Amino acid sequence: MSLLSIIWNPDPVAFALGSVEVRWYGIIYATGFLFAIWLLGKMLKSEGCPDDWADKIFIYMVIAVIVGSRLGHVFFYDWDYYKDHIGEIFQIWKGGLASHGGAAAIIITVWLLAKYLCKKSFFWLADRMYVVCCSVAALIRIGNLMNSEIYGCETDLPWGFKFVRDYPGIPVEQIPACHPTQIYESLAYLVLFGILMWMYWRTDARKREGLICGTGFAVMFIMRFLIEFIKNDQSEFEAGMIINMGQILSIPFIIFGIWLIIRAMRKDKGERRNNY
């Protein structure tokens, strides 16, 4: 570490099993899912739900997140490349996942699971899923940090990171320090996770369907929208755009979250009037 920046150059490969490389990103990703399934199981058990619900939800959500994140990257960020390389679309080990695609896939999967597995409303399951998803999102950004990817623009702040891997052969002193936006997002999601945990365990928010996931959508994607201002463009076509693709894709989720909060609050007020 220098006085004005942090030198960052970890090996993204944790270890190798023969010819197979096991990356930190994958380990952290898996750790996030394991914690999420443990927490979801604890939440569902506290409400007297069947023991196998958490396991079934876990399997379907893992598939949804991976497929949705990959397709989000392919179609939102890099279709110009993949339209000519269709066979590479599902080669996820080469990198390329978009959180907005994963979020869309989660919404669809939660709707299906709520209807056919839990036999409850979409918002009942969405509230509980959003709590655990925040913890996964926070860890995924740490995985991005280990890959030295999705970082921000240049900065003079003392905690700026020099991502050495992206500047091979260039002396460290000539490498610009950049905002470690992976850390910013991870910390933001951890704070949101704490807020949603408090809402679920310490308040009556779980009884006001849509309030927890509405808060999650609104806060997470507002933070994402703001942090994008100091991120580097993820694709060449974003150059010159007033707001980038990540911000454009965040807007519908912000609107959806605000609508859910208003809906839950109005419904709660209506129920209180009926009780008088």
Side-chain angles (χ1 to χ4, degrees):
M1 182 189 304
S2 69
L3 293 177
L4 298 177
S5 61
I6 298 169
I7 310 302
W8 187 253
N9 191 29
D11 189 340
V13 178
F15 57 89
L17 296 173
S19 60
V20 178
E21 294 182 340
V22 179
R23 292 177 169 258
W24 286 112
Y25 182 90
I27 293 173
I28 295 170
Y29 211 119
T31 300
F33 274 117
L34 290 174
F35 175 76
I37 191 62
W38 171 82
L39 178 58
L40 181 63
K42 185 177 179 65
M43 294 166 71
L44 296 181
K45 184 177 181 179
S46 73
E47 299 186 50
C49 299
D51 293 337
D52 65 342
W53 277 12
D55 293 333
K56 291 179 179 178
I57 291 172
F58 171 72
I59 293 171
Y60 288 112
M61 293 306 297
V62 169
I63 296 172
V65 169
I66 293 174
V67 173
S69 297
R70 181 58 172 174
L71 293 180
H73 172 77
V74 169
F75 291 112
F76 296 149
Y77 289 97
D78 217 1
W79 179 239
D80 284 342
Y81 174 81
Y82 286 103
K83 69 181 180 181
D84 298 321
H85 303 83
I86 299 297
E88 295 184 26
I89 288 179
F90 289 102
Q91 294 180 6
I92 60 174
W93 55 88
K94 291 186 176 181
L97 299 173
S99 57
H100 293 91
I106 288 173
I107 291 174
I108 295 171
T109 306
V110 167
W111 177 76
L112 292 171
L113 289 170
K115 183 175 182 179
Y116 295 107
L117 174 65
C118 303
K119 302 294 192 288
K120 293 181 179 289
S121 74
F122 165 80
F123 296 115
W124 180 89
L125 183 56
D127 283 341
R128 287 141 185 82
M129 286 304 304
Y130 215 107
V131 177
V132 302
C133 284
C134 277
S135 63
V136 179
L139 286 174
I140 287 174
R141 283 297 178 248
I142 298 302
N144 294 137
L145 180 65
M146 297 303 295
N147 277 346
S148 297
E149 62 188 2
I150 316 181
Y151 53 85
C153 57
E154 294 183 22
T155 180
D156 293 327
L157 294 171
W159 57 80
F161 275 47
K162 292 191 174 187
F163 294 94
V164 177
R165 286 185 59 235
D166 281 356
Y167 297 87
I170 297 179
V172 171
E173 59 272 14
Q174 296 180 20
I175 297 175
C178 299
H179 283 286
T181 49
Q182 313 97 322
I183 296 177
Y184 299 169
E185 284 192 62
S186 182
L187 291 175
Y189 299 159
L190 281 176
V191 170
L192 179 58
F193 173 65
I195 292 171
L196 298 186
M197 283 283 283
W198 173 78
M199 290 176 67
Y200 179 83
W201 292 107
R202 300 298 183 184
T203 73
D204 65 346
R206 71 165 81 175
K207 299 177 182 178
R208 298 152 74 176
E209 292 188 357
L211 181 58
I212 292 177
C213 68
T215 302
F217 276 118
V219 175
M220 175 177 283
F221 286 97
I222 286 174
M223 292 188 293
R224 173 71 186 271
F225 187 93
L226 295 175
I227 292 173
E228 287 288 333
F229 280 114
I230 55 173
K231 270 189 184 180
N232 288 319
D233 293 335
Q234 301 302 303
S235 297
E236 292 182 3
F237 72 86
E238 293 179 299
M241 295 174 65
I242 297 176
I243 57 175
N244 63 27
M245 181 58 72
Q247 291 171 308
I248 292 171
L249 295 174
S250 293
I251 292 173
F253 292 106
I254 295 171
I255 295 172
F256 183 50
I258 294 172
W259 175 77
L260 286 178
I261 294 172
I262 295 172
R263 173 185 175 276
M265 299 300 290
R266 284 181 174 175
K267 186 176 180 180
D268 182 61
K269 288 180 180 179
E271 290 175 351
R272 289 182 182 180
R273 289 196 201 100
N274 293 334
N275 290 332
Y276 286 112

